Amino acid sequence: MKAYFTNLPARTWALLAVPVILIAYPVITIVVPAVVRAVVPEAVRTVLHLI
């Protein structure tokens, strides 16, 4: 299996990368800020915002 993946042409890697990027972008822009708001206390976020 490793040999199969290492010998894939660049076009195949590009075709695989496009859906990954399309899925990862909304996750990063929506889920990550929500997790930060849930985990980081309000006081810390206020101080970081002031900086």
Side-chain angles (χ1 to χ4, degrees):
M1 194 70 165
K2 183 179 178 182
Y4 175 75
F5 283 123
T6 56
N7 292 326
L8 284 176
R11 181 174 182 212
T12 305
W13 282 112
L15 289 174
L16 290 172
V18 169
V20 170
I21 293 169
L22 290 175
I23 293 169
Y25 180 75
V27 169
I28 291 171
T29 59
I30 296 169
V31 175
V32 172
V35 170
V36 169
R37 283 188 198 99
V39 173
V40 178
E42 181 68 30
V44 175
R45 282 188 280 147
T46 302
V47 171
L48 290 176
H49 182 71
L50 293 174
I51 296 174

